[in-house]
Amino acid sequence: MDRQTPTLSDVARRAGVSYATADRVINNRGGVAEKSVRRVRAAIEDLGYVRNVAAANLAQKRTYRFAFVIPEGPNSFFRRLRNILETARPEMLVSRVALMVESVAAFDAAALVGCLERLAEDKVDGVALVGTDDARVCAAIDALRAQGMAVLTLVADVQGARPDGYVGIDNTIAGRTAGRLLLLAHGDRGGRVLPIVGVATAHDHAERLAGMQDTLAEAGGRVTSAPLIEGRDRHDIVEAELHRRLAEDPEITAIYSAGAGNAGLVRVLARRAEGRPIVVLHELVAHSRQALETGLVDVVIDQRPEDEIQTALECLRAMADRRDLAAPAPIVPAIYLRENLPPAAEASQFGDPVHE
Amino acid sequence: MDRQTPTLSDVARRAGVSYATADRVINNRGGVAEKSVRRVRAAIEDLGYVRNVAAANLAQKRTYRFAFVIPEGPNSFFRRLRNILETARPEMLVSRVALMVESVAAFDAAALVGCLERLAEDKVDGVALVGTDDARVCAAIDALRAQGMAVLTLVADVQGARPDGYVGIDNTIAGRTAGRLLLLAHGDRGGRVLPIVGVATAHDHAERLAGMQDTLAEAGGRVTSAPLIEGRDRHDIVEAELHRRLAEDPEITAIYSAGAGNAGLVRVLARRAEGRPIVVLHELVAHSRQALETGLVDVVIDQRPEDEIQTALECLRAMADRRDLAAPAPIVPAIYLRENLPPAAEASQFGDPVHE
DNA sequence: CAAAAAATGATTGACGTCTATCTTTTTCAC
DNA sequence: GTGAAAAAGATAGACGTCAATCATTTTTTG
C-alpha cells in the first residue's frame, strides 16, 4: 500500500553517492565536496527523507541527560516546579531521557554559576535554568553554549544572556491580564487597586505591575492604582503590611499580588468579617488554590509550569537531536477561577509500572 | 560513571532463563510456566528494566498510524482542529507517526460508522473521533476496540460507549466557569443573562447551560438567566434572534453563548451604538478572537484543542506501545481575555524542513 | 607529471528488540 | 517408564543509523 519511508541508503542511491558520503553530509562530518553536498540535499528533499531518530539513538546508545536548575527554598512555586519534574522523571525514562534536578540557593548568582560549571564538566546534553540577572550568569550560559550544550532559561530569563531559548511567560502580558480582570470585575464603577510585589526592583514583578497599571490607565482611569506594598515574597511581611494598609485606606476595592507570600494575604482576608475586595494573584499553589476554592480570592493567574516544563523538554530534545524545531508557542498565562481549577496534583504517585 | 541501562538480555540472565523466555514474557507470547513468568517479572523489577521503545520500533519497522475523525462543514472550531492536525503532521513524522485526518458529515451517525468501519479494515493503530451520540456509533467503537485498536473520543464523548478514554473538557465545568465569570463581572449588582445554545437537546450545550445556571443560582440569584435562544449553531439565526431579544428585553445585562454561530452575535454587537452587555462565549476562532481584540466581547472560554490533540496523541502512542500511561490530566477550559490571547496560529506554515 | 591532499567508496560491527525456526529439556498423564 | 505436550533454550537475520577503518579515485599543487 504505502511504500515504506526512505532510508539513508535510498538517499545515497538517489544522489549517486555512497552511503558513506551521504552519512558524512547528514552528520556534518566534513570532507565532502560542495557538489556532493548539494546532490545529497536534493535527494533528501526529493525523497522526503526523515532521519530515523529511533535508529540513530539506538546506534548511539544515547540517553539524553538534561538538567533543570531550580532555586531552592520554601517558595511553593518552585516546589511545585520540582514536583512536576519528579513526576515526569519515570515517564521520561521510557523515552530515554534522564532528568536531573539541581537545587541552588535562590537569588544567589554565584551558586548558580557554580552549579552551571559543574554541569559543564558533567557533560549533560542540555540545561534549563531559572534565571537570575547577573553578568556572571550570562557568561556561564555563553560558556555552556560554546561547549555545544543546549541552554534554556525557564520561568525567568536572564537579561543580557543569549540562551537557545526562553520558556516562560511574558510578565507584561501577565500583568495586563490582571488589569483586564480587575476592570471586568469593577464593571463601570470606579475603584482603587492595591498592588503587592516582592521587591519593586525585580524586573519580573515590575513588569507585571506596569502591565496591570497600563491596562487600567488605557481603560480611562476609573480604576486607579494605590501605592504598592513590597512584601519581599514573605508571607509575614505581606500579612502585616496588608493589614495596615487596608485599615488605613478604606477606598481599596481590589488587591493585586504580583509575587509570592500570598499565604499572608490569605490570612488577612480570612480574618475579615464581611465583604472583601476583589483579589487577583499569581501562581496556583496549595494555599492560593485553597483560597480560590473557599472563595477568599477571585482569580489566580498561573504560568502553567507543567506546560513550561513540557515545552522545555521538547526544545531540549529537539536541540539534542540536532533537529530544527519551530519556535515553541509562547506560554500564555492561564486564568483560574474556582470553577475551572485543574485537578489537584498528587504529592507524588508511585503507581507500580507494569511491564508487558 | 553511570552504568548503562539494562537490556532484556540482562533481565534474562538475572532471572536465570534464556533470552527467548524473557522475550516470551514481556511480549505476552504465552507458553511460559508461571514460575518463570514470576522470575522474569522479579528481574525486571530488580534491574529497573525499561523496554527500549526505540529499538522495538526499529525492529518492527513500526510507523504508528493514527486516524482523527473530525466532522466536516463550515464550523470554525472543527476547521481549527483540522488545522492543528495538519500542522502537527510533519512534526509527527519525525517520531514515525502518520496522521490521517478523516472528515465525516457532522451529526451524521451513519457516516461516522461508515468511516470507522473503513478504518477498521485499514488496520490503523488508533482512532480519535469526535463523538456523536448514537447506538451504532457505540457498537462501532466497541468493534474497533475488540479488534485491538486504541479508540479515543475527542471533544465530544459518546454516551454509552466504552472507548479507551475521553479527551476533552467537562462541559459542566465549562458552563460553571462561564457562570463564575458572569458573577465576577456583575460584582454585587443584579443582572439578567441571555443564554444562547445550538439546540437544547445536545447534551454538551445543555451541560454548559446547566453549569452556568447552577453557578448563578448558588451565588444567591442576584443574577438570573433569561429564556434561551436556540441558534442551531448558525450565525444568521443567532443574529436575527439575538437582535429581536435584545430589543424586546432591555433588562439583559449579559450574553452567554454556549455554542457556535457567534459570527452572528458579533455582528449584532458591532451594530450597537452604545454600551453593550457583558459577553462570554466559547471557542477561540477567527471571529471570536477578533471580537475579543476589538473589545466587542469580554471573555472567550476555550477548550484548547492544541492540548486536546497533544494529549490524544500521547494516549494513542502509549496504547500502541502497550505502555500504561497514567490517566491523562483532564483538560480544563482556558479563559481568554484580550490581554492573554495566544499568538494567532498561522493558517498553515510550510517552513522548509532542514535536515542536518 | 609526480606527489600530496582531498574526496569518495566499500565495508563492518555495534545498538536492543522482534520474529521465526529448530532443538533440547522438563512435565505430566497413563 | 513411555510418549506426548509443554516449556525452555539457542540462534540468526532484520530494522536504520552511527562510527570507524581502509582502499580507491579524483583533484590540487608545485
Side-chain angles (χ1 to χ4, degrees):
Chain A
M1 201 86 317
D2 46 0
R3 74 194 188 300
Q4 59 189 19
T5 56
T7 74
L8 191 52
S9 299
D10 297 326
V11 170
R13 198 172 317 119
R14 169 74 163 237
V17 302
S18 70
Y19 179 92
T21 298
D23 172 72
R24 285 177 184 117
V25 172
I26 68 161
N27 286 325
N28 306 311
R29 296 190 209 277
V32 181
E34 191 49 47
K35 186 188 66 172
S36 301
V37 172
R38 274 199 307 276
R39 297 178 66 182
V40 172
R41 291 254 156 78
I44 287 172
E45 195 72 24
D46 290 354
L47 298 177
Y49 168 77
V50 180
R51 175 159 161 275
N52 186 329
V53 181
N57 291 350
L58 179 58
Q60 291 178 117
K61 225 174 135 44
R62 190 177 205 352
T63 48
Y64 303 87
R65 302 178 66 229
F66 297 142
F68 282 72
V69 185
I70 313 287
E72 72 191 354
N75 183 309
S76 8
F77 175 72
F78 292 128
R79 256 210 325 267
R80 184 174 163 209
L81 215 51
R82 248 177 264 123
N83 245 348
I84 296 167
L85 284 166
E86 293 303 336
T87 308
R89 194 207 297 278
E91 296 170 33
M92 287 287 94
L93 218 65
V94 176
S95 42
R96 250 61 196 176
V97 175
L99 285 189
M100 286 170 269
V101 183
E102 308 283 331
S103 288
V104 298
F107 304 115
D108 183 342
L112 179 52
V113 169
C115 179
L116 294 182
E117 282 166 356
R118 266 190 296 108
L119 291 172
E121 284 179 35
D122 212 10
K123 296 285 177 198
V124 300
D125 300 295
V127 178
L129 63 119
V130 176
T132 295
D133 278 326
D134 189 283
R136 287 163 299 170
V137 175
C138 289
I141 289 175
D142 289 344
L144 288 182
R145 289 199 61 198
Q147 218 179 310
M149 102 186 16
V151 183
L152 294 179
T153 49
L154 185 72
V155 175
D157 205 357
V158 178
Q159 285 181 334
R162 283 251 140 254
D164 295 284
Y166 164 62
V167 178
I169 59 172
D170 177 327
N171 285 301
T172 303
I173 288 178
R176 293 188 64 91
T177 303
R180 175 65 51 191
L181 284 162
L182 291 166
L183 285 170
L184 187 67
H186 279 89
D188 45 15
R189 293 160 305 175
R192 195 166 155 77
V193 178
L194 173 59
I196 308 177
V197 300
V199 288
T201 52
H203 77 268
D204 46 356
H205 289 191
E207 283 164 13
R208 288 181 183 178
L209 180 63
M212 185 274 285
Q213 289 170 334
D214 288 352
T215 304
L216 295 189
E218 287 164 20
R222 71 177 187 282
V223 181
T224 57
S225 176
L228 58 78
I229 291 178
E230 285 188 287
R232 291 197 269 147
D233 287 348
R234 284 178 43 189
H235 56 89
D236 50 343
I237 299 180
V238 169
E239 182 173 11
E241 282 293 301
L242 177 61
H243 184 73
R244 195 172 59 77
R245 286 291 297 281
L246 284 180
E248 239 173 62
D249 186 349
E251 302 283 287
I252 297 292
T253 54
I255 300 172
Y256 170 52
S257 172
N262 291 322
L265 185 157
V266 172
R267 281 198 296 273
V268 173
L269 294 173
R271 278 206 307 272
R272 278 178 81 89
E274 52 185 324
R276 58 159 178 82
I278 299 153
V279 182
V280 176
L281 42 80
H282 278 274
E283 309 316 347
L284 192 65
V285 295
H287 51 267
S288 60
R289 182 189 183 95
Q290 205 196 344
L292 208 47
E293 281 166 346
T294 55
L296 283 175
V297 151
D298 298 285
V299 183
V300 172
I301 299 176
D302 189 61
Q303 58 184 299
R304 283 198 274 140
E306 297 85 355
D307 268 30
E308 293 179 327
I309 286 177
Q310 185 166 346
T311 303
L313 282 172
E314 234 167 78
C315 290
L316 288 173
R317 280 204 60 155
M319 291 188 283
D321 283 344
R322 292 178 280 132
R323 274 185 290 138
D324 280 336
L325 191 62
I331 289 170
V332 146
I335 299 171
Y336 290 120
L337 312 177
R338 65 188 292 188
E339 323 296 327
N340 73 327
L341 281 171
E346 318 304 316
S348 60
Q349 46 185 16
F350 292 110
D352 50 343
V354 177
H355 311 267
E356 52 173 41
Chain B
M1 202 83 318
D2 48 359
R3 74 195 188 298
Q4 59 188 17
T5 57
T7 74
L8 191 51
S9 298
D10 297 326
V11 170
R13 196 171 320 117
R14 168 76 164 237
V17 302
S18 69
Y19 179 93
T21 299
D23 172 74
R24 285 177 183 115
V25 172
I26 67 160
N27 286 324
N28 306 312
R29 297 190 210 276
V32 181
E34 192 49 45
K35 187 188 64 171
S36 300
V37 172
R38 273 200 307 276
R39 298 178 63 182
V40 172
R41 290 254 155 78
I44 286 172
E45 196 71 24
D46 290 353
L47 298 177
Y49 168 76
V50 179
R51 175 159 160 275
N52 185 328
V53 181
N57 291 350
L58 179 58
Q60 291 176 120
K61 229 175 131 46
R62 191 175 204 354
T63 48
Y64 303 86
R65 302 178 65 229
F66 298 142
F68 282 72
V69 185
I70 313 287
E72 71 192 353
N75 183 309
S76 7
F77 175 72
F78 292 126
R79 257 212 322 269
R80 184 175 162 208
L81 216 50
R82 246 176 267 124
N83 245 348
I84 296 167
L85 284 165
E86 293 302 336
T87 308
R89 195 207 296 279
E91 295 170 33
M92 286 289 94
L93 219 65
V94 176
S95 43
R96 249 60 197 175
V97 175
L99 285 189
M100 286 170 271
V101 183
E102 308 284 330
S103 288
V104 298
F107 304 115
D108 183 342
L112 178 53
V113 169
C115 178
L116 294 183
E117 282 167 356
R118 267 189 297 107
L119 291 171
E121 284 179 37
D122 211 11
K123 297 283 178 199
V124 299
D125 299 295
V127 179
L129 63 120
V130 176
T132 295
D133 278 326
D134 189 285
R136 290 164 297 171
V137 175
C138 289
I141 289 175
D142 290 344
L144 288 182
R145 289 200 60 198
Q147 217 178 310
M149 93 185 28
V151 183
L152 293 179
T153 48
L154 186 72
V155 174
D157 205 358
V158 178
Q159 285 182 335
R162 282 253 140 251
D164 294 284
Y166 164 63
V167 177
I169 59 171
D170 177 328
N171 285 300
T172 303
I173 288 179
R176 292 188 65 90
T177 302
R180 175 65 51 192
L181 284 162
L182 291 165
L183 285 169
L184 187 67
H186 279 89
D188 45 16
R189 292 159 306 173
R192 196 167 155 77
V193 178
L194 172 58
I196 308 177
V197 300
V199 288
T201 52
H203 79 267
D204 46 354
H205 289 192
E207 282 164 12
R208 288 181 183 178
L209 180 62
M212 186 273 285
Q213 289 170 334
D214 287 352
T215 304
L216 295 189
E218 287 164 21
R222 72 177 187 282
V223 181
T224 58
S225 175
L228 59 78
I229 290 177
E230 287 189 286
R232 291 197 271 146
D233 287 348
R234 284 177 44 191
H235 57 89
D236 49 343
I237 299 181
V238 170
E239 181 172 12
E241 281 294 301
L242 177 62
H243 184 72
R244 196 172 58 75
R245 285 291 297 282
L246 285 180
E248 238 172 62
D249 186 348
E251 302 284 285
I252 298 293
T253 55
I255 299 172
Y256 170 52
S257 171
N262 291 323
L265 185 157
V266 171
R267 281 197 296 274
V268 173
L269 293 173
R271 277 208 305 273
R272 279 178 80 91
E274 53 188 320
R276 60 161 176 83
I278 299 152
V279 183
V280 175
L281 43 79
H282 278 273
E283 310 315 347
L284 193 65
V285 295
H287 51 268
S288 61
R289 182 188 182 95
Q290 204 196 343
L292 209 47
E293 281 167 345
T294 56
L296 282 176
V297 152
D298 297 286
V299 183
V300 172
I301 298 176
D302 189 61
Q303 58 184 298
R304 282 198 274 142
E306 297 84 356
D307 268 29
E308 293 180 327
I309 286 178
Q310 186 166 348
T311 303
L313 283 172
E314 234 167 77
C315 291
L316 289 173
R317 281 204 60 156
M319 292 189 283
D321 283 343
R322 293 178 279 130
R323 273 184 291 139
D324 281 333
L325 190 62
I331 288 171
V332 145
I335 299 170
Y336 290 121
L337 312 176
R338 66 189 293 190
E339 324 295 327
N340 72 328
L341 281 171
E346 317 303 316
S348 60
Q349 45 185 19
F350 292 110
D352 51 343
V354 177
H355 313 267
E356 55 172 37

